[in-house]
Amino acid sequence: MLWDTHMHCNFSGDSDADPEDMIRASISAGLDGICFTDHLDYDFPSDPPDLFVIDLDEYDRAIHALTKKYRSTFPVLHGIEIGVQPHLHGKLHEVVLAHDFDQVICSSHAIDGKDPYYKTFFIGRGEHEAYERYFESILENLEGFSDFDVYGHIDYVVRYGPNTNRFYSYEAYSDVLDAILKKLIDMGKGIEINTGGFKYGLGHPNPCEDIIRHYRSFGGEIITIGADAHAPEHVAYDFAKVPRILREAGFTHYTVFKKRQPYFYPLPE
């Protein structure tokens, strides 16, 4: 059995899901536990601009109440997915210190003030240039921010490129990807396998199998599992594929963060 530790509910600006519906779907899927990781993205290029700014105190209260309600039957953890940009490092540091999250996912959504979700990110850039800039921005954030546990969907950008992942390969960006993975390992940070890539029709998770394999070959040990679900029907999406992918990458375990500490669970057979 597996944990789904990247999921959203109606505290995220792009989800209408009742958190208890997400819990019920998780129980029905046979999961061992979950972690809510709703979006917090300051200065996000959206209309309205505060689409991903949430009431953190209310979020804390709501998830803690659910943790208590389901304590004897199903583990529910309290996390956050923060959208990091260089000018936000100090502000995000204060947020993380002020709240008792179990897990903090650090994700790159806005790069140079634009999100690849919107096609404006690709205007004036070729696909290769756009993808490379996205990866470079991750490295820039890692140079100045460390208040997180795992970096989310490292190749998120390919979900929305003009050709998605048709011409995308690890080798085409190996210099910057190698630097990212080695930096994460030096920092004691993990990555995730995000099955949202399958939902988006990529045929691969985010990050792709080659990134996961290289992270492990460089000595990385921390990997969490998440479907990036924003609705109950996407909880644990394509999780049946996860154990094989992780085993082929060299993992025998996966990771769950509790109170910001990593716990290692054996992969199911």
Side-chain angles (χ1 to χ4, degrees):
M1 295 301 170
L2 301 171
W3 286 63
D4 189 336
T5 58
H6 185 156
M7 71 166 57
H8 304 275
C9 65
N10 55 17
F11 282 95
S12 288
D14 54 356
S15 174
D16 296 320
D18 184 290
E20 284 210 77
D21 288 343
M22 300 297 279
I23 293 171
R24 295 185 190 103
S26 301
I27 294 170
S28 295
L31 293 173
D32 279 350
I34 62 170
C35 184
F36 283 102
T37 54
D38 278 296
H39 285 295
L40 178 64
D41 279 73
Y42 295 115
D43 293 349
F44 186 77
S46 63
D47 185 15
D50 61 350
L51 179 64
F52 295 113
V53 178
I54 64 177
D55 184 333
L56 287 167
D57 292 332
E58 179 59 28
Y59 177 56
D60 291 352
R61 285 191 291 270
I63 303 305
H64 287 157
L66 291 170
T67 297
K68 183 177 181 180
K69 179 177 179 178
Y70 287 89
R71 180 172 295 153
S72 63
T73 56
F74 187 71
V76 176
L77 300 181
H78 172 230
I80 195 81
E81 181 183 10
I82 54 174
V84 65
Q85 301 181 60
H87 70 286
L88 296 175
H89 291 174
K91 186 173 186 176
L92 292 173
H93 170 73
E94 293 176 0
V95 167
V96 172
L97 286 181
H99 297 268
D100 60 342
F101 300 120
D102 286 295
Q103 175 184 239
V104 176
I105 300 174
C106 177
S107 293
S108 290
H109 295 134
I111 299 87
D112 304 326
K114 297 178 180 179
D115 186 336
Y117 178 83
Y118 302 103
K119 297 307 180 185
T120 53
F121 178 76
F122 296 93
I123 293 175
R125 292 171 166 155
E127 185 174 79
H128 181 90
E129 179 187 0
Y131 288 6
E132 189 165 57
R133 176 63 196 130
Y134 180 86
F135 296 134
E136 289 170 350
S137 77
I138 294 177
L139 200 54
E140 291 166 4
N141 280 314
L142 292 178
E143 293 297 332
F145 189 73
S146 61
D147 297 307
F148 67 94
D149 304 307
V150 297
Y151 217 98
H153 44 52
I154 288 174
D155 55 8
Y156 162 89
V157 66
V158 307
R159 291 182 181 177
Y160 308 110
N163 299 286
T164 61
N165 61 344
R166 182 180 176 190
F167 304 114
Y168 165 65
S169 68
Y170 188 98
E171 290 73 21
Y173 307 92
S174 60
D175 287 349
V176 65
L177 288 173
D178 283 354
I180 289 169
L181 298 179
K182 290 175 182 179
K183 179 68 173 178
L184 285 168
I185 292 166
D186 287 345
M187 295 169 69
K189 307 300 182 182
I191 64 171
E192 66 168 354
I193 176 170
N194 185 314
T195 61
F198 293 114
K199 184 184 70 175
Y200 281 89
L202 300 179
H204 301 274
N206 295 118
C208 65
E209 294 90 341
D210 280 347
I211 289 179
I212 296 169
R213 184 163 53 250
H214 278 83
Y215 173 79
R216 183 72 188 105
S217 71
F218 294 149
E221 297 182 347
I222 299 171
I223 189 159
T224 58
I225 303 169
D228 209 346
H230 290 67
E233 59 266 28
H234 295 137
V235 168
Y237 192 92
D238 267 355
F239 267 27
K241 298 176 180 177
V242 168
R244 176 188 58 79
I245 292 171
L246 293 186
R247 287 188 185 281
E248 289 180 354
F251 286 94
T252 59
H253 63 271
Y254 69 99
T255 312
V256 174
F257 279 88
K258 301 175 184 178
K259 301 302 181 186
R260 307 292 308 282
Q261 296 299 311
Y263 292 82
F264 299 97
Y265 290 75
L267 288 169
E269 297 296 335

